[in-house]
Amino acid sequence: MGILNGKVAIVTGAGGGLGRAYALAFAREGAKVVVNDYGVASDGGVSISASADRVAEEIRAAGGEAVANAADVGTVEGGDSILQSAINAFGGVDILVNNAGILRDRTLAKMDEKDWDDVMHVHLKGTFCVTRPVFIQMKTQARGGVIVNTSSTSGLQGKFGQGNYGAAKGGVWGFSNTLTLEGERYGIRVWTLAPAANTRLTEAVTNEDYKAVYTPDKVAEVVLYMVSDLSAPQTGKTIVAGGGIIREVRLENGPGYVPAPEFSAQELAHAVETGKVMFPTRQPKSLMAVE
């Protein structure tokens, strides 16, 4: 008996890397899986994705149930198509993992509008376009659900040369925090995940030591916990996971300073200097290597 028996899961960007690892783990535990990965139009005008097809076939060959979907996550039509694949094949949806992603790394001075828009299209708009119809479907089904949105330490803390990616991933984190509040009354649990693993996105910037330790399967086990009843009733958590390291990340308020009704910038500077208010020095080291 798998821990996801009877569940229907959607995984975007599941044609390889982390998404494939999630899809295989879910299927192994009894879930029926919609494997989404962006495809190209065939001669008949229908989008196809060889990578999504391969993963879906891999699941079926192992005795599981899966269908492929090649829609663009960054369009409303694509999001609707992904949900419709789940409904047509399996009757509904219980789990959504927004995993699809791309990189267009540039420093701000070298970044152009397309570099910015392409990343926002997939990561931030894609999370919205897929989540909205799935969230509405989960409400209609009235049996709850779990949504995992993929952020990054680039969005939580920043990384040189990833202003577009960090902004998108920071936006995903903010979106998840609000979605947590909106989902609670319907039993829809929401997680934010900042994964670290060797994938197509990181292949060019990681060494062999990293690749040996930061494998997708280590993150997949964490996500399996998140989407299953093993983690119920937890919601609204942000998890950094990879290479065997798992930690929660929280935003906390520092000690407050209450100045006089009328005060100056100089008085605030004096308060900082004398320790009445603390603005910590930024720590330059990342929380973990970035996915």
Side-chain angles (χ1 to χ4, degrees), residues 2-289:
I3 61 175
L4 296 182
N5 274 7
K7 303 293 186 181
V8 178
I10 293 170
V11 184
T12 68
L18 284 167
R20 172 181 173 273
Y22 303 158
L24 294 178
F26 294 173
R28 184 188 73 230
E29 292 295 337
K32 302 170 185 177
V33 185
V34 176
V35 179
N36 163 264
D37 208 61
Y38 184 55
V40 295
S42 66
D43 291 340
V46 177
S47 292
I48 57 173
S49 168
S51 56
D53 287 339
R54 280 194 300 269
V55 175
E57 179 54 36
E58 191 174 357
I59 290 171
R60 291 192 292 266
E65 296 184 61
V67 294
N69 176 284
D72 179 358
V73 297
T75 65
V76 170
E77 296 78 12
D80 289 342
S81 165
I82 293 168
L83 172 62
Q84 199 59 50
S85 289
I87 293 173
N88 290 347
F90 308 124
V93 61
D94 304 284
I95 296 162
L96 167 63
V97 180
N98 283 303
N99 169 74
I102 61 170
L103 287 178
R104 297 290 185 270
D105 288 1
R106 304 282 191 280
T107 59
L108 182 60
K110 297 179 180 179
M111 187 179 299
D112 61 26
E113 184 177 17
K114 190 173 189 306
D115 293 329
W116 181 272
D117 289 347
D118 285 351
V119 170
M120 292 296 166
H121 178 86
V122 176
H123 290 280
L124 190 54
K125 189 178 179 185
T127 298
F128 163 75
C129 288
V130 179
T131 300
R132 184 177 183 272
V134 169
F135 185 84
I136 292 171
Q137 177 67 22
M138 287 178 174
K139 282 176 58 179
T140 301
Q141 293 171 173
R143 62 180 189 242
V146 184
I147 297 172
V148 178
N149 291 324
T150 304
S151 185
S152 168
T153 53
S154 290
L156 301 175
Q157 188 166 324
K159 185 177 181 183
F160 186 90
Q162 290 193 329
N164 48 4
Y165 183 72
K169 289 307 194 182
V172 168
W173 181 61
F175 175 71
S176 294
N177 292 338
T178 296
L179 192 64
T180 296
L181 303 177
E182 296 181 6
E184 282 180 329
R185 70 182 67 182
Y186 306 108
I188 300 172
R189 300 191 293 121
V190 180
W191 296 85
T192 304
L193 174 69
N198 179 55
T199 68
R200 288 174 295 181
L201 265 67
T202 63
E203 183 72 31
V205 295
T206 54
N207 59 35
E208 294 305 315
D209 290 339
Y210 180 95
K211 294 172 184 177
V213 175
Y214 288 87
T215 55
D217 61 291
K218 292 180 180 177
V219 181
E221 287 301 314
V222 178
V223 178
L224 188 57
Y225 163 80
M226 295 162 84
V227 304
S228 73
D229 290 341
L230 294 173
S231 64
Q234 294 189 76
T235 189
K237 301 292 182 68
T238 300
I239 303 298
V240 175
I245 302 170
I246 306 162
R247 59 167 64 94
E248 182 185 0
V249 177
R250 304 187 189 109
L251 175 65
E252 297 183 355
N253 292 321
Y257 171 62
V258 182
E262 295 184 7
F263 74 102
S264 67
Q266 290 83 352
E267 288 170 331
L268 177 57
H270 179 71
V272 173
E273 290 169 2
T274 57
K276 292 180 180 178
V277 60
M278 181 66 75
F279 296 158
T281 302
R282 183 185 185 278
Q283 298 300 314
K285 292 185 69 175
S286 297
L287 297 170
M288 183 179 289

